[in-house]
Amino acid sequence: MNQLAPPACQPQATKQVIQNLSKPAPPCTLVIFGGAGDLTKRLLIPSIYNLAAAGLLPENFAIIGVARADKNDESFRADLTEEIKSFATAKVDDDIWQNLVSRIYYLRGNFDERPTFDALKLRLDEVEQKHNTGKSRLYYFATGAEYFPKIADLLGKADMVKQEQDVWRRVIVEKPFGTDLESAESLNRALLAVLEENQIYRIDHYLGKETVQNILVFRFANGLFEPLWNNKYVDHVQITVAESVGVENRGNYYDKSGALRDMVPNHLFQLLTMTAMEPPSSFQADAVRGEKAKVLEAIHPLTDDEVRMQAVRGQYDKGAIKGKEIPEYRNSPKVNPESNTETYMAMKLMVDNWRWAGVPFYLRTGKCLPKKRSEIVIQFKKAPFSLFRGEDVGALESNKLVLHIQPEEGIALEFGAKIPGPKVMLSGVQMLFNYHDYFGQSSSTGYETLIYDCMIGDATLFQRADNSELGWKVVDPILKLWQREKPNFPNYTAGSNGPAAADELLARDGRAWRAID
Ligand code: BG6
C-alpha cells in the first residue's frame, strides 16, 4: 500500500501546552492496597512520578503502601528508588523523585484483617497531619480481586469511607470485576454495600490510552465522519487486539481466565462502545457512560446455536514469532498440561439499534499472534457502481478508516487512486495521521490521566456498575456454552493469525480480516 508522507511541520508542543493547562489535583493521600506488588512498581509509582513531573500533583500529598511483604518506610522507599530506574517512562529528575519518595510510607498488614485497618487509620492521621493533606483519600485496590469485597467491607467497618463537605473518599478498583455476570453483580453488591457508586472508580487501562480517548474526539469534534458513521455507509467494523506475547509468567491467573474474560467485557467492549455509541449530551461522566450502556444493551443476545456460529475460540500450539521458538500454551509455567483455556477468541456481534442494524461488529483478540496490534477498522460500503466496467483497472477496494490504537498510534484513511500513466489503473493508497508526527513521543504509562481524573472526581473514563454488568451479560452465554462443550485444542500455531475457524467466520459473510502481520 502506498502511503502519503506525513506533513513536515507540526505543532510538537501542543500536547505539553494542554497538559500544562491542567491544575494540580486537590490535596489528598493515596493508599495503595498491594503497595509491594507488581502493578505498584511497574505502573502506579511511575505514573505518579510523571504526574509530579508535570506539576499535576498537589503539594499536600502523600502515599501509604499497604501490603504483607516485610518492609518498612525506609526499605520501601529504597526499593521504589531502585525500581523507578527500570520502570520510569522518562528520565527521572532526582529532585522531583526525592520530593515524591519522601512522602511515601509503608504499612505491613493483611488486607483481610481488621487490625490492619485500625493501624492504617492511625498511620493516616499521622501522615495527613505531617503533609497537611486534609482528609481526602484515594484508596487504590491493587490486590488480587478476591480481596476487593473484604477491603471495602473493612474500610467501611473502620469508618474510613465517609465523605463530608470538602472531604472525599474514593476507591479505584482494578479488573477483573468478576469472572461472569453473577460474580460481577456480587462484587458490585459488596462495593455498593459500603460505598456510593460515585465513590467507585473501576479502572480499565485502555481508557488511559490517548488513542482510545481520541475515538470520541475524532467522532464528535469533527463534522466530516459522523454523517457516514451508520448502517447506510458502513459495511462492517473490525476490532482487533492482537498480542505477540504468550501467557508469560501469568499462567496461574490466565489459565482460570482465558482470552474472553481477560480482554472482552473490558478492553474490547470499551473500543466497541466508543465506536458505536450515540453522541452524549455532554462529556459529563454519566452522559458518556449512559450512552455506552445503551450500546451494550442493544447487542443482540446470543443463543447457544448463535454462539456456535458466531464465536470462535483458539489455543496456541508451539510455533515461532520473529524467529523465536514459542512452546505450546499447555507447556507454559503454571498452566494445566491439558488445559482447555482459550488464548484466542473472535466473535461477531450485532448491535440492534437504528444506527447499526445489519452492520456486523467482528471482534478478535489473542496471544502469540504475529504482532502486537490493536486497531479498529471501519470498512465502508463499496461505491454503488463501477464506472470502470469492462476495463481491467484492478480490484476496487472498499474504503477503510483505521483507528490505530497501538503500537502505531494514529488514524489512516484508505482509498483508491489512479496509478500515474496513460492507462487507468487503480491502487489502494493511504492518508495517515500519526500521533508522534504531530505531538511528539508520549512518555506516559496510560495511568496518569486515570489517577489524576480520580483525584479531581471525574469518572468519565471509568466503568459504572451497569457498564461492567452489561458487558458480562453479553459474554455470559459464550462462557456458559464453552464450559459445557469441550474444544479441540490446540488449534493455531503460535505466530499465525489465529485459528482457521476465525477466518471462516468472516468468509461465511463474504468478508475477510485485515491481516495482522
Ligand atoms: C490486560 C490483560 O488487562 O491487558 C493482559 O490482563 C493483556 O492479558 C493486557 O496482555 C493488554 O494490555 P495492552 O495495554 O498491552 O494492550
Side-chain angles (χ1 to χ4, degrees):
M1 175 97 34
N2 301 332
Q3 198 168 296
L4 295 187
C9 151
Q10 300 306 340
Q12 295 283 345
T14 310
K15 186 171 177 198
Q16 206 52 49
V17 172
I18 293 167
Q19 271 183 352
N20 292 343
L21 287 177
S22 306
K23 288 199 299 242
C28 60
T29 301
L30 167 64
V31 177
I32 307 178
F33 293 99
D38 239 35
L39 183 74
T40 304
K41 69 176 180 210
R42 283 176 189 276
L43 287 160
L44 302 186
I45 296 295
S47 312
I48 289 164
Y49 170 81
N50 287 345
L51 285 175
L56 294 175
L57 276 191
E59 266 181 36
N60 305 110
F61 176 73
I63 299 177
I64 302 182
V66 185
R68 280 163 305 201
D70 185 9
K71 295 185 191 229
N72 56 31
D73 292 346
E74 283 67 42
S75 62
F76 189 42
R77 289 175 186 168
D79 291 347
L80 292 175
T81 303
E82 256 326 282
E83 288 154 2
I84 191 79
K85 293 181 190 149
S86 314
F87 299 117
T89 54
K91 193 171 174 316
V92 178
D93 177 298
D94 198 48
D95 288 347
I96 298 173
W97 174 251
Q98 288 310 330
N99 185 325
L100 178 62
V101 81
S102 66
R103 297 152 186 275
I104 301 183
Y105 300 85
Y106 187 80
L107 177 75
R108 189 176 175 202
N110 289 329
F111 310 127
D112 50 1
E113 288 174 3
R114 177 64 197 261
T116 306
F117 292 76
D118 295 333
L120 177 60
K121 217 173 164 184
L122 292 177
R123 203 75 208 274
L124 272 161
D125 284 341
E126 246 172 64
V127 168
E128 284 169 343
Q129 213 165 22
K130 179 158 181 210
H131 294 282
N132 200 15
T133 62
K135 289 279 167 192
S136 294
R137 295 172 194 162
L138 198 180
Y139 300 111
Y140 202 119
F141 292 9
T143 64
E146 64 277 19
Y147 292 108
F148 298 167
K150 197 69 201 169
I151 297 175
D153 178 52
L154 289 172
L155 280 173
K157 290 203 168 108
D159 196 20
M160 295 170 79
V161 292
K162 218 181 278 148
Q163 307 198 92
E164 290 157 28
Q165 180 87 26
D166 296 328
V167 173
W168 50 263
R169 301 276 159 89
R170 298 179 191 135
V171 163
I172 294 188
V173 189
E174 274 286 336
K175 87 178 233 291
F177 315 123
T179 52
D180 57 13
L181 177 58
E182 209 185 313
S183 55
E185 287 171 344
S186 142
L187 172 62
N188 280 332
R189 269 197 305 276
L191 294 174
L192 287 164
V194 180
L195 300 152
E196 300 292 328
E197 176 60 38
N198 66 15
Q199 291 177 279
I200 308 171
Y201 288 66
R202 296 174 194 79
I203 208 165
D204 182 316
H205 79 276
Y206 264 58
L207 289 177
K209 296 182 194 286
E210 290 290 344
T211 43
V212 175
Q213 291 170 30
N214 190 45
I215 300 171
L216 293 193
V217 175
F218 178 76
R219 289 190 56 199
F220 301 132
N222 296 294
L224 180 58
F225 296 102
E226 202 50 28
L228 306 178
W229 213 264
N230 55 54
N231 57 6
K232 211 164 161 201
Y233 300 101
V234 175
D235 177 74
H236 73 276
V237 177
Q238 291 185 15
I239 300 179
T240 298
V241 176
E243 297 188 89
S244 55
V245 291
V247 63
E248 298 182 304
N249 54 2
R250 298 169 69 224
N252 224 353
Y253 153 78
Y254 195 87
D255 206 37
K256 287 189 224 93
S257 164
L260 177 58
R261 286 193 175 93
D262 187 43
M263 298 295 287
V264 177
N266 34 66
H267 310 326
L268 270 88
F269 281 0
Q270 289 300 342
L271 301 180
L272 168 72
T273 50
M274 289 172 98
T275 306
M277 69 191 258
E278 293 301 316
S281 56
S282 73
F283 275 122
Q284 296 291 312
D286 278 328
V288 173
R289 301 189 299 180
E291 290 305 333
K292 287 181 171 179
K294 285 186 206 159
V295 174
L296 295 170
E297 267 165 345
I299 292 178
H300 178 85
L302 299 178
T303 62
D304 283 354
D305 277 344
E306 284 166 336
V307 172
R308 288 186 195 101
M309 290 297 287
Q310 291 179 211
V312 170
R313 55 182 154 164
Q315 186 190 78
Y316 63 84
D317 200 349
K318 61 178 178 299
I321 300 178
K322 288 195 197 135
K324 190 173 163 240
E325 293 211 350
I326 311 285
E328 63 263 49
Y329 171 73
R330 287 178 176 178
N331 217 348
S332 310
K334 299 193 186 135
V335 166
N336 174 356
E338 287 167 18
S339 172
N340 281 325
T341 300
E342 78 287 352
T343 60
Y344 177 100
M345 83 85 49
M347 64 180 168
K348 168 180 164 178
L349 292 176
M350 301 303 290
V351 179
D352 286 346
N353 64 17
W354 194 265
R355 184 190 284 257
W356 295 115
V359 179
F361 284 74
Y362 299 104
L363 277 58
R364 65 178 161 166
T365 182
K367 301 225 180 257
C368 280
L369 298 173
K371 264 191 179 168
K372 182 175 175 78
R373 172 177 291 176
S374 304
E375 64 184 23
I376 302 168
V377 180
I378 315 292
Q379 180 151 330
F380 291 95
K381 292 185 172 165
K382 287 196 175 160
F385 143 85
S386 171
L387 287 173
F388 309 101
R389 224 173 357 179
E391 305 222 15
D392 179 20
V393 293
L396 288 188
E397 293 289 333
S398 304
N399 299 142
K400 293 187 192 78
L401 184 74
V402 186
L403 309 181
H404 293 287
I405 307 294
Q406 62 181 17
E408 293 88 27
E409 299 187 313
I411 296 174
L413 182 61
E414 299 182 1
F415 53 97
K418 178 181 171 298
I419 300 174
K423 192 169 169 335
V424 180
M425 283 295 291
L426 304 188
S427 168
V429 295
Q430 193 181 72
M431 256 169 24
L432 180 68
F433 150 67
N434 189 326
Y435 256 81
H436 300 165
D437 297 334
Y438 278 75
F439 302 119
Q441 192 77 31
S442 162
S443 57
S444 76
T445 63
Y447 271 70
E448 292 82 354
T449 317
L450 298 171
I451 296 172
Y452 176 80
D453 279 0
C454 181
M455 287 177 178
I456 62 166
D458 181 351
T460 313
L461 296 177
F462 295 84
Q463 293 208 55
R464 217 168 45 188
D466 59 334
N467 298 90
S468 144
E469 289 173 17
L470 286 164
W472 283 111
K473 202 166 166 190
V474 174
V475 301
D476 230 43
I478 311 179
L479 285 172
K480 297 227 162 84
L481 187 83
W482 284 2
Q483 245 154 35
R484 291 200 304 273
E485 297 185 355
K486 289 251 167 307
N488 195 4
F489 282 167
N491 62 351
Y492 73 99
T493 310
S496 72
N497 274 311
D503 293 335
E504 287 152 20
L505 171 69
L506 268 70
R508 277 199 296 276
D509 293 347
R511 302 185 173 104
W513 292 108
R514 213 172 125 82
I516 295 171
D517 48 359

